[in-house]
Amino acid sequence: MEKVLAQRDVFGETLVELAHQDPRIVCLDGDLSTSTRADLMFEAYPERFLQMGIAEQNMFGVAAGIATMGFIPFISTFAVFAAKRALDQIRIVIAQPGLNVKFIGAYSGILTGKTGKTHQAMEDLTVFRAMPNVVSIAPIDGVEVRAAMRAMVAYNGPVYLRLTRDPMPIIMAENYEFKIGKAIVLREGHDISLIGTGEQTQRCLEAAKLLAEEGVQAYVLHVPTLKPLDNEAIVKAASATGLVVTAEDHSILGGLGGAVAEVLGEEYPVRMKRVGVKDTFGESAPNGPLLEKYGLTPRHIVEAAHTLLNYRKS
Amino acid sequence: MIGSAFPGNSDLTEIARNVRINIIRSVHHAKGGHLGGPFSAVELLVSLYFHELRIDPQNPSWEERDRFILSKGHSAIGLYAVMAERGFFPKEELMTFDAIDSRLQGHPDMTKTPGIDMSSGSLGQGLSAGIGIALGARMLGKDCRTYVMIGDGEAQEGQIWEAAFIASRYKLDNLVAILDNNKVQQFGWQYPMPLPPIDHPAQKFEAFGWNVIEINGHDFKEILDAFAAAKKVKGKPTIIIANTIKGKGISFAEGKYQWHARVPNDEELAQALVELEKAG
Ligand SMILES: Cc1ncc(C[n+]2csc(CCOP(=O)(O)OP(=O)(O)O)c2C)c(N)n1
């Protein structure tokens, strides 16, 4: 059996580990810790777990203040609320002064446990990519969540960590070293490049397997840090094959697809396709039907690859 | 117990029982949704839809209708179960809750479900929308009334208090807020001791210029009397602070934050159904 882990569980466990090593770490919760798994921090260090209630704007403001007192606040909330409910607070008192606040976007993307369009975060990466000073990270699996959190604490400044809800296989090796701003090649290939972020890179790897069955060798690049973006690795991926498919559990407007298009448009124009949520809101449903309806399965990545390969042929 | 003096109480009680049964069945079937919050609000929702609201299930977009906003949108399945009972859509449709392409979304969606007057799900926003409807009705000279249900955890949102200020500044006596004061949120404060989501809500709303009525939110007579009393008050919005029990009607869920959004397993469902069938 392959090992599966939910990113949120790893988040909760790692927060406790880090808090154990570093007394500056505190957790601010927007009444969602039983979902985000910051409740593990509550159990381990109840006095360093500050319940802020259902009041996100205030919570981000409090985080800014406590950061100036030398603490490292980790904020526990959903991606939708981090990216939108408290956005002006993040911009004014966290991003502009560059304060050392770490905020997670739990339940990101479309797979939010059947909560539907109000809770599906499709534009958080777009928002934070456009926000100066905010590092944005979307890990592929639990191992990368743990590694990224260590890097977040070592780094002094605002960081957004985009997390998913449900268990997924582990892809990265235990000793994997995460570096903020570094993309990583997961598969070599010369026919087409698949560039993914977050958990969606796992579906790129699935797609690469399907393509290999047809004799198409895909190059797979995982881009965990959306900001700062690894332009060099993206250009290298494009030049390796001359065709690029991007994949993200996020809107195709302004997220990874947008970022890659910006880089390649200026530095290395090649034909590309963006696989992700189109310009639409979602709905509540189980994961399988959602991935299918909103075009996020490995098959959709394969189809995008076929379109590009056909274009090359013609 | 519910006073028998009030006509129709026994019917309302029966409806409330069916609603609870349909809520827990739907949540169990969908393997998703919330339980505690919908259950605390059942008598309030039944009173609205079977007594108070001027509505026509056959004509859900009737211009002269009263409006209702479930600002604590995570309790959507409670609202759907009541609306199905009232005839807005077939009861069988409850089994599509949270399924792909369903009209019954995890949170109320005015673009999908007939009879939903405002979308919600991100807490704290419904009261503001209710103010807009009430202001619009007044400017158009319509006599329809607007009702908004908020949660006590939801009342932590700043926007609720921004709305509380504006509603009283505009003297919106055609607006009634209902606070489902079930004393439990998703997790809240558990250390060093458990604390309720909000202290002294009556005093707070009074200080903001509201007419405040405090009742037992599971007692139909008190609920209907409160709605009637609210209609008589001029020049201020009214808030009904309905003291309720989260998870009301299921012994193992009552008052427990753990049942905020838990899906019952088969045994829990069976036990809950036995208790609900027995309840008076
Ligand atoms: C802005 C916002 N923050 C957080 C949530 C997640 N959430 C859904 S329900 C809930 C608790 C609500 O508590 P309360 O208002 O008391 O509702 P009830 O007890 O009636 O279910 C939370 C935190 C949300 N839906 N919206």
Side-chain angles (χ1 to χ4, degrees):
Chain A
M1 274 281 291
E2 62 183 347
K3 193 173 169 203
V4 296
L5 282 176
Q7 292 194 1
R8 56 175 170 155
D9 292 335
V10 177
F11 161 74
E13 287 159 15
T14 308
L15 187 55
V16 173
E17 267 169 46
L18 292 169
H20 183 69
Q21 294 155 12
D22 191 333
R24 297 172 301 166
I25 291 176
V26 293
C27 177
L28 270 54
D29 181 34
D31 197 28
L32 281 169
S33 52
T34 50
S35 301
T36 64
R37 300 316 315 276
D39 56 351
L40 296 174
M41 177 75 180
F42 169 80
E43 280 160 25
Y45 295 103
E47 67 297 337
R48 287 160 69 187
F49 174 95
L50 304 168
Q51 181 55 265
M52 292 291 121
I54 311 169
E56 295 77 9
Q57 297 172 324
N58 178 65
M59 173 165 63
F60 278 85
V62 171
I66 207 164
T68 68
M69 303 302 288
F71 289 91
I72 305 177
F74 270 79
I75 294 182
S76 141
T77 189
F78 286 165
V80 276
F81 305 132
K84 288 166 291 259
R85 189 55 170 262
L87 196 55
D88 194 48
Q89 283 75 11
I90 292 176
R91 182 169 182 269
I92 303 301
V93 295
I94 295 175
Q96 291 186 352
L99 291 176
N100 198 17
V101 176
K102 318 298 176 189
F103 42 110
I104 64 157
Y107 287 43
S108 66
I110 204 166
L111 307 181
T112 58
K114 308 192 186 106
T115 46
K117 64 165 71 147
T118 51
H119 286 55
Q120 287 160 329
M122 322 268 216
E123 61 286 79
D124 51 317
L125 292 175
T126 312
V127 165
F128 289 125
R129 270 192 65 228
M131 179 89 65
N133 286 347
V134 176
V135 168
S136 296
I137 302 171
I140 188 173
D141 67 4
V143 168
E144 193 169 43
V145 169
R146 178 168 282 124
M149 285 178 71
R150 293 203 186 111
M152 282 165 74
V153 172
Y155 170 83
N156 186 1
V159 182
Y160 173 61
L161 180 67
R162 183 178 212 251
L163 298 175
T164 56
R165 176 183 189 271
D166 295 317
M168 282 286 276
I170 292 301
I171 302 295
M172 303 311 237
E174 274 300 332
N175 61 358
Y176 161 63
E177 246 195 78
F178 174 89
K179 285 210 184 66
I180 290 175
K182 274 275 160 249
I184 164 164
V185 179
L186 296 182
R187 192 180 192 283
E188 297 285 351
H190 46 263
D191 295 321
I192 189 154
S193 301
L194 311 179
I195 305 182
T197 190
E199 214 170 76
Q200 201 63 352
T201 308
Q202 296 208 19
R203 298 193 180 90
C204 289
L205 291 169
E206 295 283 314
K209 263 191 227 154
L210 295 173
L211 287 167
E213 286 167 17
E214 314 168 1
V216 173
Q217 295 308 328
Y219 180 106
V220 178
L221 180 71
H222 173 51
V223 182
T225 314
L226 271 287
K227 184 164 183 165
L229 196 63
D230 192 344
N231 293 19
E232 210 178 300
I234 290 167
V235 168
K236 195 165 161 238
S239 65
T241 68
L243 295 174
V244 168
V245 176
T246 60
E248 61 205 299
D249 177 2
H250 184 273
S251 169
I252 57 169
L253 303 178
L256 175 75
V260 169
E262 286 166 17
V263 172
L264 297 182
E266 287 188 354
E267 298 182 28
Y268 196 89
V270 297
R271 199 76 190 195
M272 67 175 283
K273 278 199 105 35
R274 294 164 298 155
V275 174
V277 179
K278 308 293 184 297
D279 189 17
T280 181
F281 292 112
E283 66 185 284
S284 41
N287 292 356
L290 280 176
L291 293 173
E292 224 13 92
K293 179 165 172 180
Y294 291 87
L296 299 175
T297 68
R299 202 195 74 242
H300 289 95
I301 299 170
V302 168
E303 281 165 11
H306 283 165
T307 308
L308 291 178
L309 291 163
N310 286 339
Y311 168 81
R312 174 184 284 160
K313 266 190 233 144
S314 62
Chain B
M1 277 284 29
I2 287 136
S4 56
F6 199 87
N9 270 354
S10 59
D11 294 347
L12 295 179
T13 303
E14 193 51 36
I15 294 166
R17 180 212 313 274
N18 291 339
V19 164
R20 284 202 169 86
I21 289 172
N22 284 333
I23 294 171
I24 194 165
R25 283 220 165 104
S26 307
V27 168
H28 177 260
H29 180 78
K31 303 217 180 329
H34 294 69
L35 212 67
F39 265 58
S40 61
V42 168
E43 281 76 15
L44 296 164
L45 291 168
V46 167
S47 302
L48 281 164
Y49 277 81
F50 282 84
H51 195 281
E52 185 60 17
L53 293 179
R54 186 172 75 191
I55 43 171
D56 177 3
Q58 303 313 311
N59 185 10
S61 44
W62 177 37
E63 291 259 329
E64 304 306 318
R65 72 188 185 281
D66 289 342
R67 303 321 198 255
F68 174 67
I69 300 175
L70 183 67
S71 188
K72 42 168 262 179
H74 59 279
S75 300
I77 187 60
L79 176 59
Y80 300 151
V82 172
M83 290 174 77
E85 209 67 40
R86 186 73 169 79
F88 279 86
F89 40 81
K91 279 188 232 175
E92 299 77 66
E93 202 167 329
L94 291 172
M95 288 296 136
T96 71
F97 174 57
D98 275 353
I100 198 93
D101 295 327
S102 172
R103 296 198 292 181
L104 306 181
Q105 292 290 301
H107 293 84
D109 184 338
M110 66 189 293
T111 69
K112 299 219 157 125
T113 317
I116 297 287
D117 293 318
M118 185 55 62
S119 297
S120 59
S122 181
L123 292 167
Q125 305 195 16
L127 195 53
S128 309
I131 290 173
I133 293 172
L135 277 171
R138 178 196 279 173
M139 289 163 82
L140 294 170
K142 288 187 190 297
D143 68 348
C144 59
R145 294 171 68 74
T146 301
Y147 297 79
V148 181
M149 184 185 289
I150 64 175
D152 50 355
E154 179 179 17
Q156 290 154 3
E157 283 289 357
Q159 190 180 350
I160 292 291
W161 302 99
E162 296 173 20
F165 164 68
I166 291 295
S168 99
R169 170 110 336 165
Y170 281 90
K171 302 187 180 8
L172 291 175
D173 50 21
N174 56 354
L175 177 70
V176 177
I178 303 156
L179 177 69
D180 181 0
N181 198 29
N182 63 25
K183 325 283 191 307
V184 178
Q185 52 192 104
Q186 174 162 337
F187 185 57
W189 285 266
Q190 308 296 338
Y191 175 87
M193 68 185 93
L195 293 174
I198 178 176
D199 300 316
H200 312 301
Q203 274 169 260
K204 289 191 166 96
F205 276 95
E206 243 154 36
F208 272 79
W210 287 56
N211 172 49
V212 176
I213 305 174
E214 191 156 353
I215 59 163
N216 171 355
H218 297 303
D219 183 316
F220 283 113
K221 179 159 178 359
E222 289 193 29
I223 298 169
L224 301 185
D225 285 350
F227 286 142
K231 284 204 182 99
K232 298 207 183 92
V233 174
K234 299 293 165 215
K236 310 172 151 193
T238 289
I239 181 156
I240 298 172
I241 297 184
N243 293 310
T244 56
I245 296 170
K246 195 150 170 165
K248 166 80 175 171
I250 311 176
S251 58
F252 53 87
E254 284 191 359
K256 294 217 165 66
Y257 76 82
Q258 291 87 344
W259 279 93
H260 171 71
R262 193 165 136 190
V263 174
N265 62 29
D266 294 351
E267 276 155 40
E268 288 160 344
L269 173 70
Q271 188 190 334
L273 289 176
V274 168
E275 292 183 18
L276 293 170
E277 297 287 356
K278 260 198 271 170

